Amino acid sequence: MRMELHFTGIIIAVSTFIIIGLFHPLVIKTEYYTGTKLWWVFLITGLVCIGAAACIEQVIVSSLLGVLGASLLWSIGELFAQKKRVEKGWFPKRPDNQTPKRPNK
């Protein structure tokens, strides 16, 4: 009897782990530099990814677009939660004046 190996589940699992892992610092950096005003970008791209996932037949690509879309939508809530964590002092707040200072010549 010949046994065939199928890697679809492993590819999806590892890719999901990477996508979720990338969104943690992305949410922190987004909140630090822009606050919560770009939440709508997460919404639109998340919905586009989920819509695309529904139209694609390839299992791996469709699954990863679904995971990406869900992660983008989940990040909206995390973005506002990050704002509260900053207000509590758990994360650094961006100083009001972030323009680089030019050295005197």
Side-chain angles (χ1 to χ4, degrees), residues 2-104:
R2 183 179 155 158
M3 183 175 161
E4 292 184 35
L5 297 177
H6 300 279
F7 294 101
T8 302
I10 294 170
I11 292 168
I12 293 170
V14 169
S15 299
T16 299
F17 183 75
I18 291 169
I19 289 169
I20 293 170
L22 291 174
F23 271 88
H24 178 70
L26 178 67
V27 166
I28 293 170
K29 294 292 185 186
T30 300
E31 196 285 326
Y32 183 81
Y33 288 108
T34 67
T36 57
K37 63 184 172 186
L38 292 181
W39 70 270
W40 59 271
V41 174
F42 287 90
L43 175 66
I44 292 171
T45 54
L47 292 175
V48 167
C49 287
I50 289 173
C55 298
I56 294 177
E57 287 186 37
Q58 294 177 331
V59 174
I60 294 175
V61 176
S62 178
S63 298
L64 294 181
L65 279 170
V67 168
L68 181 60
S71 296
L72 284 158
L73 295 178
W74 185 269
S75 294
I76 296 169
E78 285 300 311
L79 193 59
F80 287 94
Q82 179 65 17
K83 180 181 177 183
K84 290 180 183 178
R85 291 189 284 266
V86 169
E87 290 169 356
K88 292 178 181 179
W90 296 354
F91 282 83
K93 183 177 182 179
R94 183 172 184 226
D96 291 333
N97 186 6
Q98 274 291 322
T99 55
K101 295 184 178 175
R102 295 183 177 190
N104 294 332

